[in-house]
Amino acid sequence: MSAAPVPSADNPLYAYDLPPRFDAITPAHIAAAISDLVARQDAGLAELEAGAAPTWAGLVEPLARLGEPLGWAWGVIGHLLGVRNTPELRAAHETVQPAVIAAGLRQSQSEPLYRGLLALRDSTEWNRLDDAQRRIVDLGIRSAQHSGIGLHGAARERFNQLEATIGELATAFANRLLDATKAWGLDLTSADEVAGLPPSLRASAAQAARAAGHSAATAENGPWRITLEGPLYGPFLEHARRRNLRERVYRAGITRASSGDTDNQPVLERILALRRLQAGLLGYASYAEVSLARKMAENVATVEHLLDELRAAALPRARGELAELQTFARAESGDAGLELAHWDVAFWAERQRERRFAFTDEELRPFFALPAVLDGLFALARRLFGVVVTPADGEAPVWHGDVRFFRIADQSGAPLAAFYLDPYSRPADKRGGAWMDECLHRKRRADGSVRLPIAYLVCNQTPPITGGSGGAAGAAAAGDTPSLMTFREVETLFHEFGHGLQHMLTTVDHADAAGIRNVEWDAVELPSQFMENWCYHRPTLMGFARHWQTGAALPGALFDKILSARTYRAGSAVMRQLHLATLDLELHHRYVPGRDAVEDIAKRVSVQNAVLPRLPDERFLCSFSHIFAGGYAAGYYSYKWAEVLSADAFAAFEEAGLDDDAAVAATGRRFRDTVLSLGGSRHPLAVFTAFRGRGPNTAALLRHYGLAS
Ligand code: ZN
């Protein structure tokens, strides 16, 4: 093979076997490197097509090697687009994206390669391949089929066009959403307008105001800026006493990216239409059928059965919760005729929560300073899985001063992996949400050595307060308040770390089945949601929840309230997820462009799943980036599907005895040796069964939510 590029000192996008040179990569590197890498990949492909033997060593291994340089560089660029977005970077990305997509299609649609894989599956070597190798070949064949390998002439061309256009539309969707989010802000100047906002929110809002040019903004005197970023938007709706301001902010949120230059409505309609056309070309009735052909769930009916089962338990509960909240709000407000509107629900739910559990996110924040939370998380990883995490800041270049670098080793000291952590919200140039992505995947090199995996863990939690005066938790001095996390932000960190563990603790040597690779989408959230369960385990949480200034432990009574709060309005929370999952499935299965209106589907699904009538001007789909700019198309149900798996997996620890250290360690080891180690090398049902000794069921999930009948 001649395709491996020579690492060039001039262009850091060639250094594909190493951690990326984030201190050196600029948009100017992109065009030259990507064009060249595309050309090299094409040349290598031609070589393989001309003479590859239909064997594992002759075809599959060289193919994996061939895709690596471009795949790595493209991954780095995609990562930067998410965490250090600039107009120059976007422009450079857009310039080369069509060429990269085309190169991917040439490979996935290569008939000689496809025939080679089929020949390998029919050969005598097949019986000597291990499970991972067979799954890789099977996936390769199915993926080729989904890439239009069976299409010829004009149909093939049409399919490729659709693929490229959908890629562009997805990027446009994400960019418009980011622009719309950045463009909207509400500047508040009077004490009356910020009535009810807790100190940390005022401090964050003052920081947002300073970032928007009000250089003298302070937490005490304002001005305060509310934006659509998670750490400001959600808490504002929970705490702002001024109902008309809540309504303005809420409406801005649900109409985000739905008008003017950033209108995503035409974009998403086109995406849906083109996906349906693609599905038709492949011989499927809908895009949902294409999606489910590569999932753990068998088909649309299987998924709908699960959603129905959960809906039957959750919907009556959610209706009861709303009625209860209405009664509470009327009594508290003294307005016997009060009808709860959408912008009231979070506010009154938070008041009812305070009343019932007598604690707020704000009381908890001081106990969840990021450094202490990390210590607790790493101690848990050691206890459960026998791995040791140590800071390694400075050992790899980072893309922003706030980013940390860590290494993971076995208890014996043997290095296993490394990861970056980019914890804070950075609205100016960072995408919202939280995610784990692979930087380098594990693989065994040709010389027998193993390249260890590296992960990106990205969150959007409350940043530390620097500069200005005041701070969360009544810090006396100016500046220097660490990131004080909400409990939800703690759960999110545990969640992403769970994804990271599956990527990093894999023992699979075949690159294409290592870590989260080759894991069906609906099983991918198993380790992440599994890790969230530990936030509700008393010794685990009490072990790290200490006041950042006094060192005092979290009061036991507060922990009890966290536990009770877990099932607070659980029916409503489950229904929210079922609503989104159903919406996604309907749009990708039953919606027929030209015949139906997207709005009608949204309305119909809302009637079936929402407890408050949908607002006529609601345009939530315009910001539903999971299904239009992420990988969740006809796959949003995966969250609930995987939650069934993760709750049931955690139940194995409950059954072993959560306070029995030896039992927990033994069960943790088994979890590491199955779910975390095997990755995509086996079917997820086989992996789950290897850990649990049986298939999954919904009992543990319903019990954890207090929804069991
Ligand atoms: Zn996740």
Side-chain angles (χ1 to χ4, degrees):
M1 288 301 306
S2 58
V6 179
S8 157
D10 295 318
N11 195 325
L13 288 174
Y14 283 111
Y16 72 93
D17 213 20
L18 301 166
R21 291 282 313 279
F22 288 114
D23 52 343
I25 298 168
T26 70
H29 290 121
I30 293 176
I34 296 300
S35 314
D36 183 41
L37 290 172
V38 165
R40 287 166 189 261
Q41 184 168 303
D42 282 346
L45 180 64
E47 223 175 289
L48 272 180
E49 286 178 325
T55 61
W56 181 263
L59 179 61
V60 186
E61 276 182 348
L63 205 50
R65 280 201 299 277
L66 178 64
E68 229 196 307
L70 178 59
W72 177 87
W74 196 237
V76 170
I77 294 163
H79 174 68
L80 286 173
L81 220 44
V83 295
R84 205 173 69 193
N85 197 298
T86 63
E88 295 74 27
L89 182 65
R90 272 192 217 178
H93 178 261
E94 275 165 27
T95 308
V96 292
Q97 189 182 34
V100 174
I101 290 175
L105 280 174
R106 274 193 293 280
Q107 180 166 332
S108 58
Q109 295 184 339
S110 159
E111 290 194 25
L113 294 188
Y114 178 61
R115 283 196 303 271
L117 291 178
L118 290 176
L120 173 56
R121 195 159 69 177
D122 289 338
S123 72
T124 51
E125 186 188 359
W126 183 251
N127 295 323
R128 296 194 301 276
L129 298 183
D130 62 30
D131 287 346
Q133 292 172 309
R134 287 189 204 178
R135 254 173 72 85
I136 288 167
V137 173
D138 280 337
L139 181 96
I141 290 170
R142 191 179 59 199
S143 152
Q145 286 163 347
H146 281 187
S147 295
I149 198 82
L151 303 174
H152 300 281
R156 168 78 65 91
E157 225 156 83
R158 179 82 182 112
F159 186 90
N160 292 354
Q161 248 173 24
L162 290 171
E163 189 73 10
T165 310
I166 291 170
E168 286 161 20
L169 288 168
T171 303
F173 188 97
N175 287 339
R176 285 178 185 208
L177 183 57
L178 188 65
D179 287 343
T181 303
K182 274 163 70 174
W184 194 89
L186 177 64
D187 289 321
L188 306 175
T189 51
S190 72
D192 169 58
E193 290 173 321
V194 292
L197 304 194
S200 70
L201 180 52
R202 290 188 194 202
S204 300
Q207 183 150 290
R210 287 198 293 279
H214 303 283
S215 55
T218 64
E220 292 78 13
N221 301 315
W224 304 270
R225 187 172 174 82
I226 304 304
T227 72
L228 300 178
E229 288 300 316
L232 290 170
Y233 177 78
F236 185 82
L237 291 174
E238 287 176 355
H239 296 292
R241 291 213 190 103
R242 282 274 299 267
R243 194 182 192 202
N244 63 330
L245 293 180
R246 288 203 307 267
E247 178 174 357
R248 271 179 76 181
V249 171
Y250 181 83
R251 286 189 186 275
I254 60 158
T255 55
R256 182 157 46 145
S258 70
S259 63
D261 288 347
T262 58
D263 189 358
N264 265 335
Q265 182 84 17
V267 180
L268 72 92
E269 282 176 4
R270 261 207 83 222
I271 291 175
L272 288 171
L274 300 192
R275 281 179 182 156
R276 194 169 178 92
L277 288 176
Q278 263 198 324
L281 285 171
L282 294 178
Y284 291 93
S286 72
Y287 188 80
E289 289 190 358
V290 180
S291 166
L292 286 171
R294 47 192 185 222
K295 300 279 194 300
M296 177 179 178
E298 221 177 311
N299 53 39
V300 173
T302 317
V303 175
E304 289 183 336
H305 179 77
L306 176 81
L307 298 181
D308 287 345
E309 193 177 324
L310 296 176
R311 186 181 292 112
L315 188 55
R317 186 68 63 92
R319 291 204 173 110
E321 287 163 359
L322 183 69
E324 193 180 34
L325 191 65
Q326 173 104 310
T327 306
F328 173 81
R330 285 177 177 173
E332 286 295 302
S333 66
D335 177 358
L338 176 67
E339 290 292 334
L340 288 183
H342 288 267
W343 44 89
D344 297 324
V345 172
F347 177 80
W348 287 110
E350 189 62 17
R351 301 293 80 73
Q352 184 176 251
R353 186 202 303 272
E354 285 166 7
R355 170 66 54 84
R356 197 171 288 180
F357 309 117
F359 79 95
T360 63
D361 275 354
E362 296 313 307
E363 281 175 76
L364 291 177
R365 279 186 195 270
F367 295 95
F368 297 130
L370 176 63
V373 174
L374 286 177
D375 286 348
L377 177 58
F378 300 161
L380 176 66
R382 183 173 198 148
R383 202 154 50 84
L384 294 180
F385 310 124
V387 297
V388 181
V389 182
T390 46
D393 300 293
E395 290 180 28
V398 293
W399 54 92
H400 186 277
D402 290 339
V403 177
R404 310 269 326 260
F405 189 67
F406 295 91
R407 293 196 184 280
I408 299 191
D410 217 333
Q411 261 164 349
S412 64
L416 295 171
F419 65 93
Y420 303 87
L421 175 66
D422 184 353
Y424 311 130
S425 172
R426 215 164 45 239
D429 62 357
K430 181 172 163 183
R431 183 153 68 82
W435 65 92
M436 190 288 295
D437 205 353
E438 55 172 52
C439 172
L440 292 178
H441 56 271
R442 180 191 163 99
K443 66 164 186 184
R444 192 168 290 279
R445 297 191 181 92
D447 66 6
S449 66
V450 169
R451 187 188 69 187
L452 297 177
I454 301 182
Y456 301 119
L457 303 188
V458 184
C459 296
N460 259 284
Q461 68 191 50
T462 311
I465 306 292
T466 53
S469 61
D480 292 10
T481 303
S483 171
L484 299 178
M485 303 165 71
T486 65
F487 185 70
R488 183 61 208 143
E489 288 170 347
V490 174
E491 285 182 295
T492 299
L493 180 64
F494 274 58
H495 177 106
E496 298 309 332
F497 191 70
H499 281 307
L501 286 172
Q502 188 172 37
H503 172 64
M504 294 187 285
L505 299 187
T506 188
T507 53
V508 178
D509 285 341
H510 307 298
D512 288 332
I516 60 169
R517 293 179 160 215
N518 226 18
V519 176
E520 280 76 354
W521 262 99
D522 43 358
V524 127
E525 298 292 335
L526 163 54
S528 53
Q529 296 182 347
F530 165 81
M531 285 301 288
E532 290 184 38
N533 283 284
W534 294 97
C535 297
Y536 297 92
H537 178 235
R538 184 183 297 266
T540 299
L541 194 82
M542 297 300 273
F544 66 80
R546 299 195 168 272
H547 196 286
W548 73 282
Q549 286 164 310
T550 67
L554 180 73
L558 258 182
F559 178 78
D560 292 338
K561 289 167 183 169
I562 291 176
L563 270 194
S564 322
R566 185 183 195 185
T567 52
Y568 173 62
R569 294 178 53 78
S572 308
V574 169
M575 281 315 303
R576 169 81 183 155
Q577 289 298 99
L578 295 181
H579 190 162
L580 299 184
T582 309
L583 189 56
D584 169 38
L585 213 54
E586 288 289 321
L587 287 173
H588 286 108
H589 190 53
R590 297 203 175 84
Y591 165 70
V592 180
R595 186 194 74 186
D596 308 323
V598 166
E599 284 310 294
D600 292 339
I601 304 270
K603 270 183 227 160
R604 179 157 55 73
V605 170
S606 180
V607 168
Q608 189 192 2
N609 292 280
V611 285
L612 265 185
R614 176 176 184 273
L615 294 176
D617 57 348
E618 187 243 278
R619 293 292 179 274
F620 165 72
L621 284 175
C622 292
S623 56
F624 198 1
S625 51
H626 275 81
I627 66 169
F628 296 117
Y632 282 86
Y636 197 86
Y637 77 88
S638 302
Y639 280 110
K640 275 286 162 276
W641 185 273
E643 218 178 334
V644 169
L645 303 178
S646 60
D648 202 6
F650 188 73
F653 288 82
E654 295 175 318
E655 287 160 20
L658 286 176
D659 299 324
D660 178 342
D661 288 346
V664 164
T667 312
R669 187 69 215 194
R670 199 166 75 242
F671 190 82
R672 178 178 165 187
D673 290 342
T674 52
V675 176
L676 299 179
S677 292
L678 298 174
S681 69
R682 289 205 230 161
H683 190 275
L685 185 59
V687 175
F688 185 90
T689 306
F691 168 65
R692 198 68 171 97
R694 57 161 175 75
N697 65 58
T698 59
L701 180 67
L702 292 176
R703 175 167 56 79
H704 290 162
Y705 277 133
L707 296 174
S709 51

